[in-house]
Amino acid sequence: MKKRLICTAVLSVATIAALTFSTTTQSDAKAATSLNNGKAKNVILFVGDGMGTDHRDAIRLATVGTNGKLAMDDMPVEGRVHTSSGSSFVTDSAAAATAIASGVKSYNGAVGVNMKGKPVQTVLEKAKLSGKATGLVTTSQVTDATPAAFGAHVSNRSAQSDIAKQYLENSKVDVILGGGEDYWYPAGSSGSYPDAPPEDKEEGSKGTKGNLVNKAQKLGYTYVDNANELKYAKGQKVLGLFANEEMFQQAPEGEGDVYNPTVSLRDMTKKAIDTLSQNKKGFFLVVEEEGIDEMAHNNNASLTIKAGQQLDDTVKMAKKYAKTHPDTLVLVTADHSTGGLSLETTDKNDESGDGVSKEDGPFNIANSKEQFMVDWTTEGHTASDVPLNAMGAKSELFNGVYENTYIHDALVEAMKLK
């Protein structure tokens, strides 16, 4: 009898606890839904340019080891994204970013236009029309293909001065931070970064739309060109240009390859979040790490990993923001995969041969005595799917396997944009 009474009591306590937990969970879910009004107020979209699954694995092994998790992997929602463009099963960054930004497949080289070259509205522009603040952050030129596809419409990605002008006059992006000063100043009129620098004599001002930095300042942008100025920049509109071209030097290993941005991706992103969050209606921010792609094009594994580690450190910071702002959605994905990267053991065989595509390594696996090699199959892009991870408000929309165009559709749904 005593055993039966004790068992009944235990079951009763367990039942009450389960019901209480269930009620609390449902209550928390309702509270979160009420807080978010069933939508994402803020969105931070990270694009690791060229970062396929094996790139992430190389970054993970070198950073946290076989049993650790990168910040970008440690999210509750996982997706897998098909990357083909409208003109080829192997996309370029312009067409891929256009698909993500506008929800349409277009030809390689297209920025914010469809297969017929007609402009298609982007999710950034829709967010702006809804009253949100908007931002673009990159270690590439701010007018390069990936950021451009969110804030401009040109038939050829090379028209970077046109893209800069459209940022100011048409899409009116609030925060623009990265490299590419050369496209904001006319030829012969160098800005803060001198023409023909020792690290790359071909860099220099080449703008075709006049002095766009002056134009930005007249339109109310605070202009900065170094880390200290960025730190103390005030206002709700900030333009920061921190290099002639990309914020690193891509070259074959040992031949001038450098990844050491004058302003870190983390610092640029933090400033963008701090600035954009002044808007009570929320914000939409795109953050691109270009170094992963450029270094992979040169089959440079050590700097591909280094760029990826900088991206992950930035994601970690953004996740902390999202945890204290539960109406924020954070996503990490890629436009495509670059280099045909694969991970191998440290044996003496090198199937890829000599030259730029020879094996890189060995690299130490963190928290272990093991090492790994990185092998390459191409200096170009591949047709591989890319991973997507998400957390925060409406992140459940990104679970599954889908085309890159779906990312646009889900972002519009998450923010309840028209």
Side-chain angles (χ1 to χ4, degrees), residues 19 23 32 54 79 114 130 149 153 167 191 197 203 213 219 228 271 300 309 319 346 376:
L19 287 171
T23 303
D54 280 348
N114 62 21
S130 76
H153 309 274
Y167 286 169
E203 292 183 351
V213 170
L219 289 171
N228 191 58
K271 185 64 176 185
N300 186 331
Q309 290 171 328
K319 287 174 65 176
T346 56
W376 305 90

Side-chain angles (χ1 to χ4, degrees), residues 86-110:
S87 61
S88 173
F89 71 99
V90 178
T91 190
D92 80 331
S93 293
T98 295
I100 294 170
S102 299
V104 299
K105 297 277 188 180
S106 195
Y107 57 88
N108 289 350

Side-chain angles (χ1 to χ4, degrees), residues 14-254:
T15 303
I16 292 169
L19 287 171
T20 302
F21 177 77
S22 175
T23 303
T24 302
T25 303
Q26 291 174 13
S27 176
D28 289 345
K30 289 180 180 178
T33 301
S34 176
L35 175 66
N36 301 333
N37 292 318
K39 64 182 179 181
K41 177 183 176 182
N42 311 311
V43 172
I44 306 172
L45 169 61
F46 287 96
V47 179
D49 200 306
M51 184 176 66
T53 301
D54 280 348
H55 298 71
R56 280 213 201 186
D57 286 338
I59 298 162
R60 176 177 58 84
L61 290 175
T63 308
V64 295
T66 54
N67 297 318
K69 280 191 175 183
L70 295 171
M72 66 178 101
D73 292 331
D74 192 15
M75 296 187 183
V77 175
E78 297 181 2
R80 195 177 85 225
V81 186
H82 303 319
T83 62
S84 65
S85 72
S87 61
S88 173
F89 71 99
V90 178
T91 190
D92 80 331
S93 293
T98 295
I100 294 170
S102 299
V104 299
K105 297 277 188 180
S106 195
Y107 57 88
N108 289 350
V111 169
V113 298
N114 62 21
M115 289 292 289
K116 296 181 179 180
K118 301 296 183 182
V120 283
Q121 194 176 44
T122 75
V123 63
L124 181 146
E125 291 170 327
K126 292 171 183 176
K128 185 72 175 180
L129 287 172
S130 76
K132 295 183 185 295
T134 59
L136 299 171
V137 173
T138 180
T139 54
S140 188
Q141 305 97 331
V142 294
T143 49
D144 198 18
T146 299
F150 287 86
H153 309 274
V154 294
S155 59
N156 191 315
R157 60 184 288 179
S158 64
Q160 294 197 53
S161 291
D162 294 80
I163 291 165
K165 192 168 185 286
Q166 288 185 34
Y167 286 169
L168 302 178
E169 295 181 349
N170 299 347
S171 54
K172 300 180 181 179
V173 183
D174 297 288
V175 175
I176 308 166
L177 302 175
E181 177 197 78
D182 288 350
Y183 300 96
W184 295 71
Y185 288 97
S189 177
S190 62
S192 301
Y193 296 86
D195 291 349
E199 60 271 19
D200 189 345
K201 296 289 187 180
E202 295 183 3
E203 292 183 351
S205 297
K206 55 180 71 71
T208 60
K209 298 298 177 182
N211 189 322
L212 294 176
V213 170
N214 281 351
K215 184 176 183 63
Q217 290 173 315
K218 290 177 180 177
L219 289 171
Y221 286 83
T222 299
Y223 176 64
V224 296
D225 58 26
N226 60 67
N228 191 58
E229 287 184 354
L230 178 65
K231 182 178 180 181
Y232 294 104
K234 304 294 184 183
Q236 297 183 16
K237 298 170 71 174
V238 181
L239 169 65
L241 302 173
F242 308 112
N244 279 328
E245 294 278 348
E246 298 92 349
M247 296 177 69
F248 47 80
Q249 294 297 321
Q250 66 273 37
E253 293 167 88

